[in-house]
Amino acid sequence: QSLLLYIKFNTCSLTNAYFQYGIDLLKYHKYIGYGFAFKHYMHGLSFPENAQNSSLHENVQIFYLAPQFSSINEAKLLKGMISNLDLGIGYAHYLSKGTINKTQNYSVPQSGLGMNANIGVEYKFPTHFGVKISISAEYYIFKHLDPKIETPSKMFEQRSKLGIFMVTPQLSLIYHL
């Protein structure tokens, strides 16, 4: 049985930053594993006032919980090296909250479907710990978005659905039980 914990952080500028962390708990039988994955994504974005005197400050969060399936392969030539492929499909919750023109608050919560795939390589130390580098692809789909505000202008176009696709590198700390 292995417990996987990864944390990643990326920032592009002071007005556009995201942070994601997650926990995977997987049990392996030979080379096949199963368990669950939890991910929490947070994103803050600000657009200062423009020529139309419009401004926006937005905070987005995505929560993801899913059954996870995994395949591992231990390298024969390099002791301690393990490659893996993880796949999951499950529940996702989207929440966008913010302020338009510094006076009007809005909130758009929605539940939907999420999918993830992860491929990586781990080095397992002689102790119970390991370090993994991987690439993760995540796709979230949310339908019937219903904002809790009426926008005073055509600043934003309402959507009936929202799809989010992310490909990100990950650095993980792993504890093997």
Side-chain angles (χ1 to χ4, degrees), residues 15 37 54 65 70 87 92 106 116 121 129 136-137 152-153:
T15 60
S54 298
L65 182 63
S70 181
L87 300 170
Y106 70 91
N116 74 296
V121 176
F129 288 95
S136 176
S153 65

Side-chain angles (χ1 to χ4, degrees), residues 137-140 163-167:
E138 301 165 28
Y139 180 70
Y140 303 103
I164 300 171
F165 180 69
M166 298 185 286
V167 176

Side-chain angles (χ1 to χ4, degrees), residues 52-115:
Q52 291 85 20
N53 292 323
S54 298
S55 65
L56 169 71
H57 177 73
E58 178 182 40
N59 288 309
V60 173
Q61 294 188 56
I62 300 173
F63 298 92
Y64 174 66
L65 182 63
Q68 191 82 352
F69 300 95
S70 181
S71 172
I72 62 171
N73 185 15
E74 295 189 37
K76 304 290 186 221
L77 296 176
L78 298 170
K79 186 174 173 83
M81 294 299 290
I82 301 169
S83 62
N84 76 310
L85 173 65
D86 303 327
L87 300 170
I89 183 167
Y91 172 78
H93 183 76
Y94 171 84
L95 177 61
S96 174
K97 293 169 67 173
T99 306
I100 301 170
N101 297 331
K102 299 179 184 174
T103 59
Q104 188 173 18
N105 294 328
Y106 70 91
S107 176
V108 182
Q110 188 61 42
S111 294
L113 182 68
M115 294 169 264

